[in-house]
Amino acid sequence: MSDFEERYDDTLEKLKELASEKRYNDLKKEFSSLYPTDIALLFDDMPEEYLPVMFRLLPKETAADVFVELESDSQEMLIRGFSNTELKQILDDLYLDDTVDIIEEMPANVVKRILKNSDPETRQDINKLLQYPEDSAGSLMTTEFIRLRLDTTVAGAFDVIREKGDDSETINVCYVTDEKRHLLGYVTIRTLVLAKDTSARIGDIMDSQVISVNTHEDKEIVAQDMSKYDFDAMPVVDLENRIVGIITFDDAIDVMEEEATEDIEKMAAITPSDKPYLKTGVIEIWKSRIPWLLLLMISATFTGMIITSFEDALAAYVALTAFIPMLMDTGGNCGSQASVTVIRGISLQEIEFSDAFKVIWKELRVAVLCGLVLAVVSFGKIMLFDGMLMGNEGITPTVAAVVCFTLFLTIVCAKVVGCTMPLLAKKIGADPAVMASPFITTIVDAMSLIIYFQFAKLMLGI
Amino acid sequence: MSDFEERYDDTLEKLKELASEKRYNDLKKEFSSLYPTDIALLFDDMPEEYLPVMFRLLPKETAADVFVELESDSQEMLIRGFSNTELKQILDDLYLDDTVDIIEEMPANVVKRILKNSDPETRQDINKLLQYPEDSAGSLMTTEFIRLRLDTTVAGAFDVIREKGDDSETINVCYVTDEKRHLLGYVTIRTLVLAKDTSARIGDIMDSQVISVNTHEDKEIVAQDMSKYDFDAMPVVDLENRIVGIITFDDAIDVMEEEATEDIEKMAAITPSDKPYLKTGVIEIWKSRIPWLLLLMISATFTGMIITSFEDALAAYVALTAFIPMLMDTGGNCGSQASVTVIRGISLQEIEFSDAFKVIWKELRVAVLCGLVLAVVSFGKIMLFDGMLMGNEGITPTVAAVVCFTLFLTIVCAKVVGCTMPLLAKKIGADPAVMASPFITTIVDAMSLIIYFQFAKLMLGI
């Protein structure tokens, strides 16, 4: 809330003051008027020493909600200070998928303590969830959901929900299975509440057109399917179509946000990280950036070599050098426009490899239009501004023509390369997002120079 | 679903065949096994002439769901063919926010027909929703939700839900107000279903810590708040805290996806559009790209002028020219890494303008580390590869030193400029995403050349 955000710094100061003065009753009062997510934000920004005391002041029913939203170093610190009873209490109140997320961030000895303090059944479920590959639907799902039978009545369904509801992450959708847990359909809470006849069989009112994902499906695909179908929750099944868990929309939203950030980072030649920038150390940031910079710098050797091999031409027509940056930048910009558009289209599943020809044909026409406009404008600009206004004698109509022909051809090549590379990456199973601006720029730079010097040789007779 | 996607082309062919052979019963059977979202995708890819017939074959209960998901040209075409009774039928089955979305895409005469065929109350609501500014919470919300009173009992609440539930977009959360519609709290359907005492007052079991947004709040902020608090639905209130509508999570997901795409497009110097790439015409794509290309090309004039003014230095040390692309590209890459990281941080509300000094200090240290590594590696590469291996006589240790000093200083400047520009843009109310690679590159290009030639003058005594 913007309301809360505006008051954030004041609230933080107030909490610090109350904590340092040990005014615990006033702190309790403060907490009761705050939302758990916001309390967690405040806790993460408080001096560490206050954390254990303040956490114990939280109302019992919000403690788990706050705990889940804390940064993992705060969580670790709290767990280390918890008695076994306190730890058990929190673990009981957490949903399984959240427990697993927390465990994945903790050092081994903390994990051991968490598992020791979980009841045997939960421990088994945690271990199962921990085995799913990272980024799979299995690793994202929770195993706590409402399962109904075909011949349960609507009234019976409400009994099941009342019994299991407290432990289920959502009751908004209930899943219908046979006794072997094969997924047969689903009923929403809306259907149950609006049902006129409470003795109706679930099998008769359920929706049997149920869409599910497999445990090993990529979580990005799952999130996109949920967004496409507007699902509250997505059932996850094993290879025999037995339901093993569900993924709720809030987790899907987080995945979509993470994936967009990752794509953006990759497009800017950064190794993605899931830590917020301000909490990431300098060395860590450096590590995520330096490999790409090195690689790209080394690959720029080629452009250097191309220029070196045309040293004589440049010595004869010094004016040519001045246009190198403009040609390279325009080519690079055209290439990134095409590649970024295609990369995003692939991410959103709008563009497939089978669309390659459609895409190339479209980019080719866009490139010709862009190239014509830029070449004509550029010719005018060079003759009028660089030539007449600045009085640069090296600039003749032929030199301007060399620049503009190069510009046109570079743009066409850049757009085609830009749209092709991400599709090729996708085809060979690589990540299309890596084929964004920096890589395209390096390729287009070399291309534009070769084109430039060929035109120069041809038209200026060097 | 990946399942469905694999069968997509086959299904499309089959539908076309059945439609051309007028096998309507078989078509009906096909439709009954498909999900509305998927039917809409198939319809959009079918030849237009089959659309009206096929639409009328849909089961009554899915027709509206399919209609909502169609592209707007298919919707328009269908509406033009509908009888008034058919149009009324569809409009009755649509949620208000969807109707408004459709109206916003239709030409005036179609809008008139839609309004004429809505009942007076709905028409009034539509007109109200149409008045909210684009991209505001008001324009995104629906006015159909469940409203409860403080002194209603749980049993009474279920009566209200059963009465109004069919018309409400969600029953998962119900909002509690006084008789003047002031928002006092909310109850989830879970609380209602799990309530042990059905005679309990809503006022006693509701959660009064209710977070809401104002009708004029930016929809991107609303979506992010919903993601932050894991909300199913967000209540929208007017200036007097009277609830006027709700925004459901599925609309929030769409907003987040759109906003990520827009940011990515702006970062690549493309004017954002909300049409999928493959459905966008060549001219439209061209229009979204050419202004930026022109602007950036013209601004590259500066780099050209800088080079021209150092023509003599370049003529004396031809070897210097060969390193221009490498210096410019590395500077550009370093700058975009910093700017894109900060832009994304701003979008996700992780970075504020007040963090500017923290950000600059962090980038400065990262830049020094990156600069040192790249400069050292570059010096070695130039001496060993370009100098010894390629036998380029122009390369002396002093020339290599000029390049590496330039590299280091360029990287430091690029990172600082890269992280500062988006923050400044945010401060003056401009869009930070525009300050991504292309703009940073143009600035950094000029900077790196000036640094380069100053070092050359100083160290080579030109």
Side-chain angles (χ1 to χ4, degrees):
Chain A
M1 279 311 317
S2 29
D3 252 29
F4 170 75
E5 271 150 24
E6 277 161 30
R7 290 181 294 109
Y8 186 85
D9 291 331
D10 296 339
T11 313
L12 187 62
E13 280 319 304
K14 193 165 171 193
L15 290 187
K16 276 187 198 162
E17 200 185 301
L18 292 176
S20 69
E21 293 169 7
K22 299 199 199 311
R23 288 161 60 187
Y24 297 137
N25 272 326
D26 293 330
L27 273 173
K28 267 192 185 170
K29 230 177 283 163
E30 279 297 315
F31 291 152
S32 71
S33 72
L34 288 168
Y35 210 80
T37 316
D38 295 327
I39 299 180
L41 285 175
L42 290 161
F43 276 19
D44 282 325
D45 284 344
M46 292 278 288
E48 265 205 356
E49 67 263 30
Y50 297 140
L51 220 56
V53 179
M54 299 189 66
F55 190 79
R56 290 187 175 95
L57 292 173
L58 290 175
K60 205 183 139 298
E61 59 278 15
T62 44
D65 292 337
V66 172
F67 189 77
V68 147
E69 301 278 345
L70 288 172
E71 301 276 336
S72 56
D73 37 358
S74 307
Q75 286 171 340
E76 186 182 337
M77 195 246 183
L78 281 173
I79 294 178
R80 289 187 189 278
F82 282 159
S83 70
N84 283 343
T85 328
E86 284 175 315
L87 183 56
K88 241 193 185 93
Q89 171 78 57
I90 287 283
L91 290 173
D92 274 354
D93 287 346
L94 291 177
Y95 292 117
L96 255 188
D97 54 342
D98 293 327
T99 311
V100 171
D101 286 347
I102 292 169
I103 284 181
E104 279 171 344
E105 301 291 326
M106 294 293 136
N109 54 349
V110 176
V111 173
K112 228 184 240 165
R113 244 194 95 205
I114 293 178
L115 289 176
K116 224 180 88 192
N117 283 287
S118 309
D119 55 79
E121 204 189 328
T122 314
R123 196 179 316 145
Q124 215 179 343
D125 282 342
I126 291 176
N127 279 322
K128 223 182 284 168
L129 287 178
L130 282 172
Q131 279 160 27
Y132 290 107
E134 219 192 312
D135 297 337
S136 69
S139 74
L140 195 66
M141 71 187 184
T142 179
T143 52
E144 296 155 317
F145 56 93
I146 307 269
R147 195 157 61 91
L148 301 174
R149 293 290 179 77
L150 283 175
D151 48 9
T152 309
T153 60
V154 170
F158 277 113
D159 291 339
V160 174
I161 294 174
R162 270 183 217 110
E163 190 194 331
K164 306 264 188 183
D166 262 332
D167 287 330
S168 296
E169 192 160 341
T170 183
I171 65 157
N172 299 350
V173 197
C174 308
Y175 297 91
V176 187
T177 69
D178 59 19
E179 55 297 344
K180 291 200 166 137
R181 287 183 155 254
H182 290 110
L183 181 59
L184 303 173
Y186 69 94
V187 268
T188 62
I189 190 78
R190 181 202 286 258
T191 310
L192 291 174
V193 170
L194 300 187
K196 293 204 175 75
D197 174 12
T198 54
S199 62
R201 271 179 80 243
I202 293 296
D204 296 329
I205 62 166
M206 75 175 186
D207 200 327
S208 55
Q209 237 174 276
V210 57
I211 286 177
S212 61
V213 292
N214 203 286
T215 48
H216 62 248
E217 184 68 274
D218 187 313
K219 65 180 183 181
E220 189 176 359
I221 309 262
V222 178
Q224 253 155 32
D225 281 341
M226 290 180 70
S227 142
K228 176 174 158 194
Y229 295 112
D230 293 345
F231 278 1
D232 252 41
M234 174 72 96
V236 183
V237 296
D238 64 12
L239 289 172
E240 272 109 68
N241 194 37
R242 286 177 304 216
I243 184 167
V244 287
I246 62 166
I247 293 172
T248 48
F249 77 92
D250 50 314
D251 294 320
I253 289 183
D254 290 345
V255 169
M256 289 179 56
E257 204 162 74
E258 272 168 39
E259 297 289 340
T261 306
E262 275 187 24
D263 272 5
I264 289 173
E265 288 177 333
K266 283 184 211 148
M267 286 183 200
I270 301 170
T271 310
S273 110
D274 46 11
K275 259 200 193 170
Y277 173 75
L278 290 176
K279 305 238 170 200
T280 316
V282 170
I283 297 287
E284 238 171 304
I285 296 180
W286 171 75
K287 271 194 206 154
S288 68
R289 294 184 186 175
I290 192 75
W292 300 102
L293 291 176
L294 272 172
L295 183 66
L296 292 167
M297 187 185 77
I298 299 292
S299 57
T301 305
F302 290 106
T303 47
M305 285 165 64
I306 296 169
I307 292 186
T308 307
S309 67
F310 284 91
E311 246 172 37
D312 301 336
L314 286 176
Y317 286 86
V318 208
L320 289 180
T321 314
F323 298 105
I324 291 180
M326 184 276 280
L327 289 171
M328 285 187 356
D329 281 354
T330 307
N333 290 334
C334 287
S336 350
Q337 285 181 334
S339 71
V340 165
T341 306
V342 172
I343 292 168
R344 186 64 184 164
I346 293 175
S347 280
L348 295 180
Q349 300 182 26
E350 289 171 4
I351 299 177
E352 299 283 330
F353 183 75
S354 57
D355 298 316
F357 283 106
K358 260 189 272 179
V359 172
I360 295 175
W361 175 227
K362 187 166 271 185
E363 285 300 325
L364 205 59
R365 285 174 295 164
V366 174
V368 169
L369 281 179
C370 287
L372 281 176
V373 173
L374 291 178
V376 170
V377 172
S378 184
F379 189 85
K381 196 221 81 169
I382 295 175
M383 291 307 294
L384 293 175
F385 183 82
D386 299 313
M388 282 166 59
L389 206 68
M390 304 299 291
N392 191 330
E393 287 166 14
I395 293 181
T396 62
T398 324
V399 168
V402 168
V403 173
C404 295
F405 282 137
T406 306
L407 192 60
F408 180 82
L409 200 55
T410 300
I411 290 170
V412 173
C413 295
K415 291 260 183 221
V416 173
V417 170
C419 71
T420 318
M421 298 296 290
L423 287 166
L424 283 179
K426 162 102 180 158
K427 182 70 184 174
I428 62 167
D431 191 332
V434 172
M435 292 302 162
S437 326
F439 271 88
I440 298 292
T441 305
T442 306
I443 299 172
V444 169
D445 280 354
M447 250 171 35
S448 64
L449 288 174
I450 294 177
I451 297 174
Y452 195 29
F453 294 127
Q454 291 307 326
F455 271 120
K457 262 184 20 190
L458 209 71
M459 297 174 60
L460 297 170
I462 310 173
Chain B
M1 282 309 318
S2 28
D3 252 30
F4 170 74
E5 273 152 22
E6 277 161 30
R7 290 181 295 109
Y8 186 86
D9 291 331
D10 295 341
T11 314
L12 186 63
E13 281 318 304
K14 193 166 171 193
L15 291 187
K16 277 188 198 163
E17 200 184 299
L18 292 177
S20 69
E21 292 169 7
K22 301 199 197 311
R23 287 162 58 188
Y24 297 137
N25 272 326
D26 293 330
L27 273 173
K28 267 192 185 171
K29 228 177 284 165
E30 280 297 315
F31 292 152
S32 70
S33 71
L34 287 168
Y35 210 80
T37 315
D38 295 326
I39 298 180
L41 285 174
L42 290 161
F43 275 19
D44 281 326
D45 284 343
M46 292 278 288
E48 266 205 354
E49 68 262 31
Y50 297 141
L51 220 55
V53 178
M54 298 189 65
F55 190 80
R56 292 189 173 93
L57 292 173
L58 289 176
K60 203 182 141 296
E61 59 278 16
T62 44
D65 293 336
V66 171
F67 189 77
V68 147
E69 302 278 345
L70 287 172
E71 302 277 337
S72 56
D73 38 357
S74 306
Q75 288 171 339
E76 186 182 336
M77 194 247 183
L78 282 174
I79 294 179
R80 289 187 188 279
F82 282 158
S83 71
N84 282 344
T85 328
E86 283 174 315
L87 182 56
K88 241 192 185 91
Q89 171 78 57
I90 287 283
L91 289 173
D92 276 352
D93 287 346
L94 290 177
Y95 293 117
L96 254 189
D97 55 340
D98 293 327
T99 311
V100 171
D101 286 347
I102 292 169
I103 283 180
E104 279 170 344
E105 300 290 326
M106 295 294 136
N109 55 348
V110 176
V111 174
K112 228 184 241 167
R113 244 195 94 204
I114 293 178
L115 289 176
K116 223 179 88 190
N117 284 287
S118 310
D119 55 78
E121 203 189 329
T122 314
R123 197 180 314 144
Q124 214 180 343
D125 284 341
I126 292 176
N127 279 322
K128 223 182 284 167
L129 287 178
L130 282 172
Q131 278 160 27
Y132 290 107
E134 221 194 311
D135 296 338
S136 69
S139 75
L140 195 65
M141 72 188 185
T142 179
T143 52
E144 296 156 317
F145 57 95
I146 306 270
R147 195 158 62 91
L148 300 174
R149 293 289 179 80
L150 283 174
D151 48 10
T152 308
T153 60
V154 170
F158 276 114
D159 291 338
V160 175
I161 294 174
R162 268 183 218 109
E163 191 195 329
K164 306 262 187 184
D166 262 333
D167 286 330
S168 297
E169 191 159 342
T170 183
I171 64 157
N172 299 350
V173 197
C174 308
Y175 297 92
V176 187
T177 69
D178 59 17
E179 55 297 344
K180 291 199 167 136
R181 285 184 156 253
H182 291 110
L183 182 58
L184 303 173
Y186 68 93
V187 269
T188 62
I189 189 79
R190 181 203 285 259
T191 310
L192 291 174
V193 169
L194 300 187
K196 292 200 177 78
D197 174 13
T198 54
S199 63
R201 269 179 81 244
I202 293 297
D204 297 328
I205 60 165
M206 75 174 186
D207 200 328
S208 56
Q209 237 173 278
V210 57
I211 287 176
S212 61
V213 292
N214 202 285
T215 46
H216 61 248
E217 184 68 274
D218 186 312
K219 65 179 184 181
E220 188 175 359
I221 308 264
V222 178
Q224 254 156 28
D225 281 341
M226 291 181 70
S227 142
K228 175 175 158 195
Y229 295 111
D230 292 346
F231 278 0
D232 252 40
M234 174 73 96
V236 183
V237 297
D238 64 13
L239 289 172
E240 273 109 70
N241 194 36
R242 285 177 305 215
I243 183 166
V244 286
I246 62 165
I247 292 171
T248 47
F249 77 91
D250 50 314
D251 292 321
I253 290 183
D254 290 345
V255 169
M256 291 179 55
E257 204 162 74
E258 271 169 39
E259 297 289 339
T261 306
E262 274 187 23
D263 272 5
I264 290 174
E265 287 176 334
K266 283 183 210 148
M267 286 184 201
I270 302 170
T271 309
S273 110
D274 47 8
K275 259 199 191 172
Y277 175 75
L278 289 176
K279 305 239 168 195
T280 315
V282 170
I283 297 288
E284 238 171 306
I285 296 181
W286 171 75
K287 272 194 206 155
S288 68
R289 294 185 185 174
I290 192 76
W292 302 101
L293 291 176
L294 271 171
L295 183 66
L296 292 167
M297 186 184 77
I298 300 293
S299 57
T301 306
F302 292 105
T303 47
M305 283 165 63
I306 296 169
I307 292 185
T308 307
S309 68
F310 285 92
E311 245 174 36
D312 300 336
L314 286 176
Y317 285 87
V318 209
L320 288 180
T321 314
F323 298 106
I324 291 181
M326 185 275 280
L327 289 170
M328 287 187 354
D329 280 354
T330 307
N333 290 334
C334 286
S336 352
Q337 284 181 334
S339 70
V340 164
T341 306
V342 172
I343 292 168
R344 185 65 181 162
I346 293 175
S347 281
L348 295 180
Q349 301 182 24
E350 288 170 4
I351 300 177
E352 299 284 329
F353 183 74
S354 57
D355 299 316
F357 283 106
K358 261 189 272 180
V359 171
I360 294 175
W361 174 229
K362 188 164 269 184
E363 284 301 325
L364 205 59
R365 287 174 293 164
V366 174
V368 169
L369 282 178
C370 287
L372 282 176
V373 172
L374 292 178
V376 170
V377 172
S378 183
F379 190 86
K381 195 221 83 169
I382 294 175
M383 291 307 293
L384 293 175
F385 182 82
D386 299 313
M388 283 167 59
L389 206 68
M390 304 299 291
N392 189 331
E393 286 165 16
I395 293 181
T396 63
T398 323
V399 168
V402 168
V403 174
C404 295
F405 283 136
T406 307
L407 191 60
F408 180 82
L409 201 55
T410 301
I411 289 170
V412 173
C413 295
K415 291 260 184 222
V416 172
V417 170
C419 71
T420 318
M421 298 295 291
L423 287 167
L424 284 180
K426 161 102 182 157
K427 182 70 183 172
I428 61 166
D431 191 332
V434 172
M435 292 301 162
S437 326
F439 272 88
I440 298 292
T441 305
T442 305
I443 299 171
V444 170
D445 280 356
M447 251 170 35
S448 64
L449 287 174
I450 294 176
I451 297 173
Y452 194 29
F453 293 127
Q454 292 307 326
F455 271 120
K457 263 187 12 193
L458 208 74
M459 297 174 61
L460 297 170
I462 310 170

